Amino acid sequence: MKTMVERNEVLHRYRIKGQSKRQIAEELHISRHTVDKIVWEYERVCLDADGVCDMKAFAALIGSEPKFHTPVRQCPVVTDEIKGLIRKCLEENRVRRATGMRKLQWTCRGIHSMLLEKGFTLSYPSVCNHVSRISAIMGAKTVRDTDLYIRREHDPGRECEFDWGEIPLVIGGRRRNVQMAVFTLLHSNRRSAWLFLRQDTLSLMEAHRNFFMEIQGVPQTMVYDNMRVAVTIRTGRKGRPAVKYPTRAMRQLALYYRFCERFCNARAGWEKGSVERSVEIVRRAAFVSRQSFGTLDDAQGWLDRMLEKINAVSGVPGIDDTEKQRRIQADLHSLQPAPQPMSCFEAEEHRPGKYGTICVDYNNYSVPESLASETVMARVYSTRIAVYHHGRKVADHVRLEGKGGWSMQLEHYLGTFLRKPGALDSSTAMRQVPAELAELYRVHFCPDRQREFVSFMMYARDCGILQSQITAAARSLRLRGVRQITADHLRVELDAMLDASEGHDDVLTIHVDSPDTLSGQQCSSIEKHAVSTLDGLTAAMGGLTAHRIYNNPN
């Protein structure tokens, strides 16, 4: 296949220099048949019957690219099975676009990776070519980006970009729009991500806590877009430009971790292009092939494994995997030292209502019945609610979603149930106990022995016995052939299990609703340090208000 320059050189030698076809072929080192075809096209298009050259036709000929009629060659590597898999992925894309999962479509890169994992051997261009052909047959249209961007170079440890991404997942059989917080170190392109159920201030601060703990340092500058949880925009008056101010939580983060924040202009995504691309890469790599998980923790574990694979591979032409790891180490070694680990909660004062509950974000959470007329302090975390009274934790709940929900713990109402045992069966607190404990009550204590069950639960509460230990004791009694379990049976069995566990403290140590990995003493000291430190920061920013945002190591 000859270029336009080579063809015009042949015509120049043939017309102007008068060389023969054989001489042209020898001097240009091309085939004699190629010269014949070029000369034949010239004579057919430009010469009339008298041999006179039409200059307009000749100018058009030498100014156009050569046309070659070559048949479409079939790629022997791409078998019918591979074509079927590609078509299946494109059909899934059509379904996902129609069902609101547009951001989890298969890309050419994802299809190529999937085929390699299945054991096929083919190149990425082969996949791209067949995706284009099959998409054309299916009637899919491709839109190309015509914008021009400026490539930047970044020093190690200097800048990190942050953004949110939304992922439609199935959590526990229910479809949810999960929020993903993504961080990208710009020098090495190292990516980190965490999943949250909300895109609020607490999730923002907890994501930063997790990231700084993971990399054991703090970048000099954090780059954000115009998200409401990070920036407040005040529109200008009388033609003045709008002014951006960091939110209160953002200022606390920047002061505590000692980084500078930079906000992009509105509708200018190219100013933060790296992390926008990171959100897409992480979302597609982790959740295109799998969208269903039992819990949010399962999804986070899957995401962590996918991030290890993403960060182990360069994915950038001209930078191999070894260079990628070298850049990551350079980023990590150039970070500022991170202060004491911290996360956040919002402290709110509440007085329980007539059901012995406090209302936080339109959801209700129970407190012990003895505090029905007292004022309690609720610490609102991103995933849980901790209730304190005079500095002592009295309740811990998983934070509910939506509005109008009820989280009621049975041990908070045992005194009332002891006086009114008939209300136990239909109570919300009883309906929310674990299924195994509810089955134990229904089979062995209902309907005539409610008061005995309540008295035993009060004994278990006072002795610090967990509900999981009670159900374990009931299982042990059933295995030993006890058909009718009583409260005395459970007490004896629990005593035996506790005696057997002496010297093996981890046998019956079961942590329920305790997201902290630090000890209680460490948590308490870090809480006091965080509260005192942030109180000082808040005072420096302009004074304390009634609604304060604190930080705590969770």
Side-chain angles (χ1 to χ4, degrees), residues 76-93:
V77 178
V78 182
T79 62
D80 292 338
E81 183 181 3
I82 293 177
K83 293 179 182 178
L85 292 174
I86 294 176
R87 181 178 292 274
K88 180 181 178 181
C89 292
L90 297 179
E91 290 289 350
E92 289 183 6
N93 286 350

Side-chain angles (χ1 to χ4, degrees), residues 134-234:
I134 297 175
S135 298
I137 296 174
M138 297 173 61
K141 296 181 180 179
T142 58
V143 179
R144 296 186 178 275
D145 187 7
T146 59
D147 293 334
L148 180 66
Y149 302 96
I150 303 299
R151 190 178 187 278
R152 298 175 57 197
E153 297 289 343
H154 304 277
D155 296 330
R158 181 172 294 276
E159 282 189 308
C160 177
E161 293 180 346
F162 171 82
D163 197 13
W164 290 101
E166 188 176 275
I167 308 173
L169 298 178
V170 178
I171 305 296
R174 177 185 171 190
R175 183 169 174 179
R176 318 279 285 275
N177 286 330
V178 179
Q179 306 297 326
M180 181 174 66
V182 182
F183 296 85
T184 303
L185 294 174
L186 297 186
H187 177 71
S188 61
N189 234 16
R190 183 191 183 278
R191 300 179 175 97
S192 301
W194 284 269
L195 299 178
F196 298 91
L197 295 178
R198 303 170 183 83
Q199 189 182 133
D200 56 6
T201 300
L202 296 176
S203 299
L204 172 76
M205 300 182 74
E206 185 173 336
H208 282 73
R209 184 283 314 265
N210 294 342
F211 177 64
F212 296 143
M213 287 181 60
E214 181 184 78
I215 65 176
Q216 294 297 310
V218 180
Q220 297 180 21
T221 304
M222 297 292 298
V223 184
Y224 305 90
D225 58 10
N226 293 276
M227 60 185 72
R228 289 185 297 176
V229 294
V231 62
T232 300
I233 302 178
R234 297 181 181 178

Side-chain angles (χ1 to χ4, degrees), residues 182-194 211 214-215 278-279 281-282 285-286 300 303-316 319-329 331-332:
V182 182
F183 296 85
T184 303
L185 294 174
L186 297 186
H187 177 71
S188 61
N189 234 16
R190 183 191 183 278
R191 300 179 175 97
S192 301
W194 284 269
F211 177 64
E214 181 184 78
I215 65 176
S278 292
V279 170
I281 290 174
V282 173
Q300 182 64 53
L303 176 60
D304 293 339
R305 293 192 292 272
M306 293 298 104
L307 284 170
E308 291 180 1
K309 296 181 179 180
I310 293 173
N311 291 326
V313 180
S314 171
V316 178
I319 299 178
D320 57 13
D321 298 345
T322 304
E323 175 65 16
K324 172 71 175 288
Q325 299 306 313
R326 189 194 67 78
R327 293 193 176 195
I328 290 178
Q329 293 303 319
D331 255 335
L332 298 180

Side-chain angles (χ1 to χ4, degrees), residues 283-304:
R283 181 167 48 207
R284 293 185 186 279
F287 299 110
V288 166
S289 59
R290 181 182 178 186
Q291 297 91 37
S292 181
F293 302 91
T295 63
L296 188 65
D297 290 337
D298 295 339
Q300 182 64 53
W302 172 262
L303 176 60
D304 293 339

